Amino acid sequence: MSRSQDPASAPPLLIVGGGPVGLSLACLLADAGLPSRVLEAQPLAALADPPEDGREIALTQRGIAILQRLGAWQDLAPEECHPLRRARVFNGAQADSLLFEAGSELGTLVPNHALRRVAHAGARRRAELVELRGEARVMALELGPEGAAVTLADGERLQTPLVVAADSRFSALRRLAGIPCEMLDFGRSVQLARIEHERPHEDQALECFHHGHTMAWLPLGGRSPHLSSLVLTLPADLAETLRGLDDARWLDWVQAHAQGRLGRLRLAGPRHQYPLVATYAQRFASGRFALAGDAAVGMHPVTAHGYNFGLYGAARLAEELGRRGNVEQALARYAEGHRRDTQLIYRGTNTVVKLFTDERAPARLLRRGVLDLAQRLPPLKRLITAQLTARPASN
Ligand SMILES: Cc1cc2nc3c(=O)[nH]c(=O)nc-3n(C[C@H](O)[C@H](O)[C@H](O)COP(=O)(O)OP(=O)(O)OC[C@H]3O[C@@H](n4cnc5c(N)ncnc54)[C@H](O)[C@@H]3O)c2cc1C
């Protein structure tokens, strides 16, 4: 990719990982006139019609704007998008709560599998500039001053001016490129399931910090106010115990700990579990190699930023590469900008998670104090709300 080369005839960039970020990046590059080839370990059929995975993604206004530009937003069915108007935070069994609300919406909740599906559809629409390869697991990486090459599991070797790894927070490519990564294992797991409930959710999320675990309820259901996604954050040993229960006994446990906030509960889908590990790469780019999505920044889900960050980074990377200047300089600007976008919130999120999962008495007192302070200090509340919506805080 030199300045003189016609970008559409340039050799394609290689994107390793056809997750929601890798596919969105391919679309954004195509819209900037740059061809790419997406290498995905799973079969293509799994990208076209991804199975439900329990994750409900809270999108910020900035994330939505990027999806709208891509046409992906327009591909979502109305019943797949649920408005999040308010969020209430409860500390233990206390009845009073801290309320976050914005003028309009805090964000919109969309199932992860729907986001994956529309990202794939967008890539298919741009077939002239996006080549999709399924069952293409990358096993080896070579980096040189003018380009790079990868080797697939079947031995095929592919050369390219640039490799972008969007291969998850446990990125093998990041390791092959020799980029160190900070990993914070919270020693906890998150369990997810869709639950029908007797009382309406009123489009509000509930975040309840209990002794030893947190229970969050995310409103879903399109026009039905009686469906939410339960997000249970549990110490690893309790998670394993609960995972071993059948659906009826698991639901009994949930009902017993839900403090009747939503009335009678009914399990409305499969249960899922993920380990909670946050990751932050020491560098986002190196020579002819860049990291995107969770491979760059893997967030704890509590502040709902992971995929949003992936979209911001993909948009920035496509914009920088679309300038058609020096590739290394474009990558350096991308790396610097993405660090600016993410670092503070990454560190802040981890601090909040530690505070709200520490069961020692001083931490319990401190979080009570933090919630009280946020309640009494409207500017602090506005700042947190602006972070949730990714809108500038106003007075
Ligand atoms: C419980 C939970 C709730 C969340 N809630 C939110 C939220 O509310 N808001 C938000 O913004 N984010 C949220 N997130 C984060 C969000 O889901 C992730 O940030 C997002 O899925 C990352 O997308 P990605 O494309 O970077 O990676 P992934 O989705 O992990 O995709 C990586 C892809 O790379 C492929 N791959 C891996 N290795 C190779 C290889 N060697 N060769 C070829 N292909 C390979 C994999 O098969 C996979 O398809 C949540 C996450 C969890 C776990």
Side-chain angles (χ1 to χ4, degrees), residues 98-120:
L98 179 61
L99 175 68
F100 294 98
E101 56 187 344
S104 51
E105 287 171 16
L106 280 177
T108 301
L109 287 155
V110 180
N112 193 46
H113 68 97
L115 291 169
R116 295 188 74 139
R117 189 194 73 233
V118 296
H120 174 263

Side-chain angles (χ1 to χ4, degrees), residues 16-22 39-42 47 55-59 109 112 116 136-139 166-169 172-173 190 192 274 292-295 301 304-309:
V16 182
V21 174
L39 304 172
E40 166 57 47
Q42 297 177 62
L47 299 193
R55 298 185 201 187
E56 308 292 340
I57 306 294
L59 290 164
L109 287 155
N112 193 46
R116 295 188 74 139
R137 179 174 289 282
V138 174
M139 304 299 285
D167 56 341
S168 88
R169 68 186 61 202
L173 272 280
V190 63
L192 312 168
Y274 297 90
D294 276 16
H305 272 102
Y307 177 56
N308 290 290
F309 279 172

Side-chain angles (χ1 to χ4, degrees), residues 280 283-286 316-317 320 329-342:
Y280 203 92
R283 294 191 297 280
F284 294 155
S286 165
R316 189 183 287 282
L317 184 55
E320 294 297 352
Q329 284 172 9
L331 293 184
R333 285 193 300 272
Y334 156 69
E336 193 192 323
H338 198 45
R339 196 164 296 278
R340 248 193 340 263
D341 266 351
T342 57

